Amino acid sequence: MPEIKVENVSKLIEGKPIVNNVSMEIPDKSFFCILGPPRSGKTMLMRLIAGLEMPDKGRILFDGEDVTALGPVERRVAIAFQDFALYPHLTAFDNIASPLKAMKLPKDEIRRKVLEVARYLKIEHRLTHYPSELSGGEKQRVAIARALVKDAEVILLDEPLVRLDYKIREDMRAELYKIQKEIGKNVILITGDPFEAMSLGERIAVMNEGRIVQLGTMEDIYERPVNVFVGRYFGVVEMNIFDGEIVKMNDVASLRTKIFEIPLKNARNLPEGSVKIGLRPEHMSVLELAGKREVNFRGKIVLTEVVGSDTIVHIDAGLGELLRVSVPAIYRRQIGEEIDVGFDIENLYIFSSKDEKLLARGGDLIG
Amino acid sequence: MSWKKILGFIGLAIYGVWTLGPYYLTVITSFKKLTDVFSIPPKIIPYADFVPTLEAYQRIFSTRAAWTFVTSLIVATIATIIAIIVGLLAAYGFSRFSNAPMNDERSFFILLTLRMLPPFAVVLPIVTYWVFMGLIDTYFALIWTYTIFSIPLAVWLIKGFIDEIPRSVEDAAVADGYGFGARFRKIIIPLLGAGLAATVALVWLFLWNEFLFALKVAGGKVITYTAYLPQLRLGQRTLWNVYAAMGTLGSIPPLIILAAFRRYIIRLYLGGR
């Protein structure tokens, strides 16, 4: 039951670092998420943890033991691949049995274990079929069954849901969580979908350009994104980012934008000058639906998108950038109409305009 | 029946006579006496025009000629086995270690160049080489030469098939605990399946039909049936009926192979893989 430690691990491909000096710890028996956009190095980091690749620098420890030179079997790692990676020439049964056959277990034990895991994943009626005869959801279940059957200590799931249909994805997501709780193993999920990471990961590592940008619980990352990238990326609807300025006169500081100005009480640590302001669409509201907020202004509707049961309203409020406002209802308005929107100061994020790092949250500045 | 279909049939009939006609003549010639071979008008219908005889076949099986088929079989089969094993591993390397130094189009091109040169361009140095080694006219020399010339073809064809196997399937096999050898036996080879079989058949066919190296690298003590054909003379006369009988016998293995693998061999020719 290992606690996994990644120490200064780098992996180069053709001289370019795909994973760049990554260090992190993954606590035992947790549901851990590695989240990142495409080409952020998340899959390579998974392959390094799995033992499918050797790092060029650094080492990987399982329970304090150096496993850097060991393969997936010695590390007792199981992997479910994004494209399922089932053996097309073998039936579902033989696919699931494959790791047990490699261990050379007796036949009846293999049979018992395969049936047990197949029953658990509700695919026992499909065991005689070949992968080409299975639906996407069934293939995924077979792939997960193959990972579970061998009693591995760590189960790595490489974007297990992207190849599935919307509805099956929902079911499977819930099931993955349940499975992890029931088997009590370390499950590491690699995903490019922030929503998936938010709903599954107990701890989340956000990757970008080969590095871990932020590691923490979902709440940590959502409430205090370390920089503009994480702020934008980690959210169901992308965070609004626009320019502002910290102005200090005598002892009075304020945050000024093109359309509003907010007095700040505790702005001692903030540098004067231009900053980037972040505001999540779900923290903004349309006044006619939600009543007045601390800061209110008018804007012209440019576009409304209905997403599920929410509506994303894109408005032009004269900030230079369009603002996205998330309305938790179906909200239909004519394009070009003017509406009043608002937000509370505690929900603001202030980022440096130089290195885009988080300087403060609105709540720190007024209380 | 539409005109298109009728025209199609006529076209195919002409093509059939054009291609199968000579083969028919070869087969019936193998059942003629030598005196019937050149008669004018030609005798083309057995029993009506001439009395079939097994004379030519008797001659083959009572002389060294029969043994030349065995030689062809031994040489082609051993060279094919070695070329396929080496080709399989090389193709795997070309396909899977694409980041390895020097694994690029150029090295692949150099490999194929050996195959593209006309055999006449390289036969002389190769013969010189074997003479120098003191191995001219041995099984070893002919098998070695055949192997070298078959590897590029094997690599080229097999690489295409390996490229089609997703890497993740192999990663899954690594994670399941299969070593390199087990992965080859349990995953790669079964998945190559018919494609590999067709490659084996094609490599073997080229060697079975090969003439120039058979004649020059061997062709004395060790002689394949193709190289033996020019020796079928009696004084000034060429024994055309025996010639035809050897051609008929020699065409049996290719016909069996083509019938068994025609779907895959067509795919190989059309797609280059």
Side-chain angles (χ1 to χ4, degrees):
Chain A
M1 300 280 149
E3 172 198 79
I4 300 167
K5 215 176 197 175
V6 175
E7 284 184 358
N8 309 321
V9 161
S10 292
K11 176 76 183 176
L12 309 170
I13 286 183
E14 285 168 359
K16 272 188 284 176
I18 303 299
V19 167
N20 196 351
N21 200 22
V22 163
S23 296
M24 64 173 179
E25 272 176 50
I26 300 175
D28 188 16
K29 293 181 195 170
S30 64
F31 207 124
F32 189 88
C33 261
I34 300 174
L35 171 72
R39 310 189 155 274
S40 58
K42 60 183 189 298
T43 296
M44 181 56 83
L45 182 58
M46 188 261 334
R47 294 175 66 86
L48 289 162
I49 295 171
L52 288 171
E53 306 272 348
M54 281 273 278
D56 292 308
K57 260 185 253 148
R59 48 183 209 150
I60 293 168
L61 308 171
F62 278 29
D63 270 343
E65 188 198 336
D66 191 337
V67 296
T68 316
L70 302 182
V73 181
E74 292 92 337
R75 293 187 194 190
R76 308 201 59 192
V77 160
I79 308 154
F81 292 89
Q82 188 189 130
D83 59 359
F84 314 130
L86 299 178
Y87 309 124
H89 60 303
L90 300 178
T91 60
F93 182 96
D94 287 329
N95 264 282
I96 301 171
S98 160
L100 304 177
K101 282 182 184 160
M103 289 184 225
K104 301 205 175 0
L105 292 185
K107 261 203 174 127
D108 47 326
E109 196 182 340
I110 292 179
R111 199 176 160 71
R112 189 177 53 73
K113 287 194 169 187
V114 171
L115 290 179
E116 191 185 356
V117 73
R119 205 168 300 132
Y120 180 62
L121 287 166
K122 303 182 199 81
I123 43 171
E124 73 258 51
H125 59 295
R126 304 295 279 164
L127 287 177
T128 54
H129 293 259
Y130 286 90
S132 58
E133 301 163 339
L134 301 175
S135 72
E138 286 166 343
K139 279 185 209 163
Q140 183 58 271
R141 280 164 192 272
V142 173
I144 292 172
R146 184 175 59 181
L148 293 182
V149 77
K150 63 174 176 181
D151 274 334
E153 301 296 354
V154 180
I155 295 161
L156 294 154
L157 306 170
D158 185 11
E159 307 207 37
L161 304 178
V162 285
R163 296 277 184 103
L164 300 181
D165 294 336
Y166 175 72
K167 193 66 207 151
I168 302 167
R169 204 185 300 170
E170 303 260 286
D171 297 345
M172 210 56 209
R173 189 187 300 136
E175 192 147 333
L176 284 178
Y177 189 76
K178 192 189 95 177
I179 290 171
Q180 194 272 331
K181 286 290 153 266
E182 285 174 5
I183 61 172
K185 301 276 173 65
N186 236 338
V187 173
I188 302 176
L189 175 83
I190 286 76
T191 180
D193 178 358
F195 184 67
E196 209 168 288
M198 287 162 113
S199 52
L200 284 175
E202 285 160 357
R203 287 174 70 75
I204 300 166
V206 185
M207 282 195 83
N208 192 32
E209 292 171 349
R211 292 171 188 277
I212 290 187
V213 199
Q214 189 167 7
L215 197 157
T217 62
M218 176 257 186
E219 291 82 1
D220 288 343
I221 299 171
Y222 184 79
E223 281 165 19
R224 304 197 78 87
V226 290
N227 60 22
V228 171
F229 166 79
V230 178
R232 279 183 194 244
Y233 186 57
F234 198 73
V236 176
V237 184
E238 194 181 314
M239 184 189 268
N240 295 302
I241 303 284
F242 48 92
D243 292 328
E245 199 183 353
I246 304 287
V247 184
K248 288 183 180 172
M249 265 207 231
N250 304 325
D251 271 350
V252 190
S254 65
L255 172 65
R256 193 187 283 168
T257 71
K258 284 182 183 154
I259 57 167
F260 58 80
E261 184 164 352
I262 303 165
L264 304 171
K265 279 184 199 154
N266 305 323
R268 220 166 292 130
N269 297 330
L270 284 181
E272 247 180 300
S274 70
V275 289
K276 284 193 188 302
I277 301 170
L279 189 53
R280 292 194 184 276
E282 57 269 33
H283 289 151
M284 296 188 68
S285 50
V286 173
L287 300 196
E288 63 174 330
L289 299 173
K292 271 206 175 288
R293 308 294 287 272
E294 289 170 15
V295 180
N296 305 298
F297 52 88
R298 271 179 97 71
K300 195 189 274 180
I301 296 178
V302 178
L303 175 69
T304 62
E305 294 175 84
V306 177
V307 180
S309 57
D310 296 351
T311 309
I312 314 298
V313 186
H314 298 245
I315 62 166
D316 183 356
L319 279 165
E321 306 276 336
L322 294 182
L323 288 179
R324 287 172 293 272
V325 180
S326 179
V327 179
I330 308 290
Y331 180 74
R332 289 213 183 276
R333 277 305 168 93
Q334 291 294 318
I335 288 169
E337 254 185 279
E338 294 217 329
I339 54 169
D340 288 303
V341 295
F343 64 90
D344 292 338
I345 298 165
E346 61 165 3
N347 291 324
L348 277 180
Y349 299 87
I350 298 173
F351 298 101
S352 156
S353 52
K354 271 186 247 112
D355 56 9
E356 304 204 326
K357 289 226 164 75
L358 182 71
L359 297 170
R361 272 211 68 170
D364 309 336
L365 304 171
I366 48 168
Chain B
M1 219 194 286
S2 69
W3 278 108
K4 264 188 188 168
K5 259 192 170 167
I6 293 169
L7 282 174
F9 271 115
I10 294 171
L12 281 177
I14 293 170
Y15 182 74
V17 171
W18 177 263
T19 53
L20 294 176
Y23 187 61
Y24 174 74
L25 290 178
T26 302
V27 174
I28 59 160
T29 303
S30 73
F31 291 103
K32 285 179 185 175
K33 286 182 188 311
L34 192 56
T35 44
D36 287 334
V37 171
F38 288 108
S39 59
I40 302 225
K43 297 180 173 177
I44 52 174
I45 302 165
Y47 296 105
D49 290 349
F50 65 95
V51 182
T53 161
L54 288 174
E55 216 182 86
Y57 291 93
Q58 276 158 0
R59 195 182 174 90
I60 291 172
F61 288 102
S62 63
T63 61
R64 200 177 158 216
W67 182 250
T68 62
F69 284 104
V70 179
T71 303
S72 282
L73 189 72
I74 293 171
V75 169
T77 305
I78 295 177
T80 301
I81 291 170
I82 302 172
I84 291 291
I85 293 171
V86 175
L88 194 56
L89 293 169
Y92 184 84
F94 270 115
S95 177
R96 289 299 195 240
F97 302 107
S98 50
N99 290 323
M102 289 169 64
N103 182 359
D104 53 20
E105 297 88 359
R106 274 170 295 173
S107 46
F108 204 63
F109 178 75
I110 289 167
L111 184 76
L112 290 180
T113 304
L114 190 61
R115 188 80 204 182
M116 291 177 204
L117 288 174
F120 288 97
V122 289
V123 68
L124 188 64
I126 287 174
V127 168
T128 314
Y129 168 75
W130 288 120
V131 170
F132 179 73
M133 302 277 286
L135 289 168
I136 194 81
D137 199 17
T138 57
Y139 278 97
F140 182 85
L142 191 55
I143 290 171
W144 188 275
T145 309
Y146 275 181
T147 304
I148 297 299
F149 273 84
S150 300
I151 287 171
L153 181 68
V155 173
W156 183 37
L157 295 176
I158 297 170
K159 179 181 177 289
F161 292 114
I162 293 181
D163 285 343
E164 283 178 18
I165 301 175
R167 275 167 194 239
S168 61
V169 169
E170 255 188 276
D171 285 337
V174 174
D176 282 352
Y178 292 106
F180 184 72
R183 236 148 60 222
F184 245 87
R185 267 183 294 117
K186 303 212 163 171
I187 311 296
I188 303 281
I189 291 176
L191 287 182
L192 292 176
L196 184 62
T199 306
V200 171
L202 213 56
V203 168
W204 189 87
L205 276 186
F206 276 123
L207 298 182
W208 175 260
N209 294 337
E210 206 283 329
F211 173 68
L212 184 67
F213 291 118
L215 187 68
K216 294 297 173 191
V217 173
K221 286 197 293 356
V222 174
I223 188 160
T224 68
Y225 85 95
T226 53
Y228 187 71
L229 287 172
Q231 300 188 8
L232 289 170
R233 318 179 126 260
L234 202 64
Q236 289 300 306
R237 286 186 307 167
T238 299
L239 297 170
W240 284 111
N241 57 341
V242 184
Y243 223 109
M246 290 195 74
T248 305
L249 290 176
S251 65
I252 291 171
L255 284 176
I256 294 171
I257 286 171
L258 287 172
F261 291 107
R262 63 180 183 281
R263 269 174 49 208
Y264 306 105
I265 290 177
I266 289 168
R267 244 184 84 197
L268 285 181
Y269 273 121
L270 290 182
R273 60 198 171 88

